[in-house]
Amino acid sequence: MTSHKTTVQTMKPATAAKKLGVYLEATPAEFQEGVVSRNELNALQTDPPEWLTTLRRNGPHPRPVVAAKLGVSIAGLARGGMTDPLTTDQIEALKTESPDWLVRERATQADVRKEAARIKEKNAERSSSSSSS
């Protein structure tokens, strides 16, 4: 038995901001104070207004976006003392400066990715050999 969606699904602004990849405190007041329906979120994603385009381009960016742009984990940002949202210019400056913590965290992240790929490959081999038996 499937349930029909009779009510409009809504989400808190923080959830919508997270799905849009933007820092909530930098969004317009009307976005922060309201609720966002699933249809409104889809509309924002497919045809972003100027404020959203500008925010995505220039920031300030939330930690997950900062971490991705720097090529480190969110925990790596914290270890590096980076707890505040950063603008695109600040992120680019960090990349240029390449402080020791950033070099170290990028190396750590590269090791994590290599290990994840190794495990995935090992599991794929195990899966293919068990299915051919």
Side-chain angles (χ1 to χ4, degrees), residues 114-133:
K114 282 182 204 167
E115 180 63 8
R118 185 191 68 77
I119 291 170
K120 184 177 179 181
E121 186 178 312
K122 183 178 178 181
N123 289 341
E125 288 173 8
R126 189 179 301 144
S127 167
S128 68
S129 66
S130 68
S131 63
S132 63
S133 301

Side-chain angles (χ1 to χ4, degrees), residues 83-99:
T83 56
D84 294 329
L86 299 177
T87 64
T88 301
D89 290 342
Q90 291 170 315
I91 293 169
E92 291 305 316
L94 268 175
K95 287 179 178 178
T96 302
E97 293 166 15
S98 200

Side-chain angles (χ1 to χ4, degrees), residues 48-58:
E50 184 60 34
W51 66 263
L52 182 55
T53 304
T54 302
L55 200 52
R56 285 178 168 168
R57 182 178 48 248
N58 301 329

